Amino acid sequence: MTGVSSPPRTDESAEIRRLWQGLGLPGLVDVHTHFMPANVLRKVWDHFDALGQGVWPITYRETQEDRVALLRGFGVRYFTALSYPHRPGMARWLNDWAAGFAAQHPDSLRSATFFPEPGAGDYVAEAIGAGARIFKAHLQVGAYDPKDPLLGDVWGALADSGTPVVVHCGSGPLPGEFTGPAPFSEVLRAHPDLTAVVAHAGAPEYSAFLDLAERYDRVHLDTTMAFTPFIERLAPYPRAELPRLRDLGHRVLLGTDFPNIPYPYGEQLRVLAELDLGPDWLRGVLHDNAAGLFGL
């Protein structure tokens, strides 16, 4: 277990439920949440804590099972357990842990990850064959080139199987050597059928990642942190691009970064509703698009 137990957030849950119930939805599907081994999550939290008091406070430090209960209380029907390695030798271990987590929590879409290393194509194919539903690639934390030849079989296996991969390829919150639209666009050029979910809507290169979503039919965007006051101070979404985001609404998926967010979960839902892109758009984003993508 990680974190400390805390009392139920009943008022928060009620507010969130009112939003999706008012849209006639059966609940939410969140494709960008994090559950990982306790020691790994602790290091993630230590990283944010080291930024300084109040810079990026982690809102949900509850135990693992309390965090699962919170999501269920919010009405999240399905969620993910995304993790990401920063060195060779981690990915297979993380995948084994995530498989066990999914076995214990059937409402968690079985998640997996990878790193450019010998054998990556083999263990990714094994994970897909064993039931992995979604992968995570973090080009900033992993600091690797997505065009690395060691990943050729990985992208190919994901494309051939249609398994979605959430890719942090935008340059937020800090740019890396291989972030930005250019490196990952080369992957898509080589694997145009890849089902990619661009994390954080591609912040801060929102427009360039909209271009990729328009060019490739299986590129999606997730909403993680987008439009929240926290991220708007750092990388405001260009309002002139909202019509394009509306038109691509069938490929926009709810993501939140729970539990590693510096504000309440409901804030993500509130800012999406306030975009006023229409109830059909919002229903798709909060539930229906992901339900269709994963056959839920």
Side-chain angles (χ1 to χ4, degrees):
M1 296 293 186
T2 300
V4 294
S5 185
S6 66
R9 302 169 185 254
T10 52
D11 290 345
E12 182 180 15
S13 296
E15 180 181 357
I16 291 170
R17 284 179 168 272
R18 277 195 295 271
L19 191 152
W20 58 258
Q21 287 171 345
L23 292 165
L25 291 173
L28 305 168
V29 181
D30 191 338
V31 303
H32 195 141
T33 62
H34 297 288
F35 289 90
M36 55 188 72
N39 61 322
V40 178
L41 185 62
R42 190 177 305 115
K43 290 180 180 178
V44 171
W45 288 354
D46 287 347
H47 166 78
F48 289 116
D49 290 345
L51 297 176
Q53 186 175 6
V55 174
W56 193 306
I58 303 297
T59 303
Y60 300 98
R61 291 183 185 264
E62 286 82 357
T63 65
Q64 176 177 284
E65 292 310 306
D66 281 348
R67 282 180 272 121
V68 170
L70 276 171
L71 287 178
R72 291 170 176 166
F74 297 157
V76 179
R77 298 181 61 224
Y78 293 94
F79 54 92
T80 57
L82 301 184
S83 59
Y84 37 87
H86 59 272
R87 55 178 170 76
M90 283 185 70
R92 190 184 290 272
W93 168 65
L94 290 170
N95 292 349
D96 289 343
W97 185 93
F101 180 84
Q104 295 173 7
H105 305 87
D107 44 352
S108 170
L109 298 173
R110 180 168 168 175
S111 307
T113 188
F114 52 84
F115 194 81
E117 57 189 334
D122 293 333
Y123 66 68
V124 165
E126 291 169 9
I128 294 170
R133 308 282 301 278
I134 189 169
F135 281 73
K136 175 66 185 286
H138 204 312
L139 306 186
Q140 181 194 50
V141 171
Y144 58 81
D145 188 343
K147 308 186 302 298
D148 191 310
L150 289 168
L151 294 178
D153 289 344
V154 169
W155 300 122
L158 292 170
D160 291 345
S161 65
T163 307
V165 54
V166 175
V167 187
H168 186 129
C169 44
S171 299
L174 294 172
E177 183 178 357
F178 304 109
T179 61
F184 191 62
S185 68
E186 293 298 314
V187 173
L188 291 170
R189 185 174 291 114
H191 302 278
D193 294 329
L194 183 68
T195 303
V197 181
V198 176
H200 304 276
E205 295 102 347
Y206 301 109
S207 297
F209 284 105
L210 282 169
D211 292 343
L212 288 180
E214 290 173 343
R215 189 175 309 146
Y216 297 99
D217 291 341
R218 298 199 62 78
V219 170
H220 301 66
L221 307 170
D222 84 28
T223 65
T224 303
M225 300 190 80
F227 303 103
T228 63
F230 182 85
I231 204 68
E232 283 288 291
R233 292 192 295 269
L234 304 172
Y237 197 96
R239 272 12 189 205
E241 298 288 31
L242 287 180
R244 296 175 74 197
L245 187 69
R246 181 195 60 224
D247 293 344
L248 282 167
H250 58 296
R251 282 193 273 130
V252 180
L253 310 174
L254 174 65
T256 63
D257 241 354
F258 176 93
N260 306 327
I261 45 178
Y263 45 76
Y265 187 93
E267 187 162 308
Q268 180 72 75
L269 308 182
R270 177 182 60 79
V271 296
L272 293 174
E274 289 177 352
L275 294 177
D276 199 24
L277 296 181
D280 289 341
W281 184 89
L282 192 57
R283 277 190 287 267
V285 171
L286 298 185
H287 179 274
D288 293 348
N289 297 339
L293 181 62
F294 292 98
L296 304 176

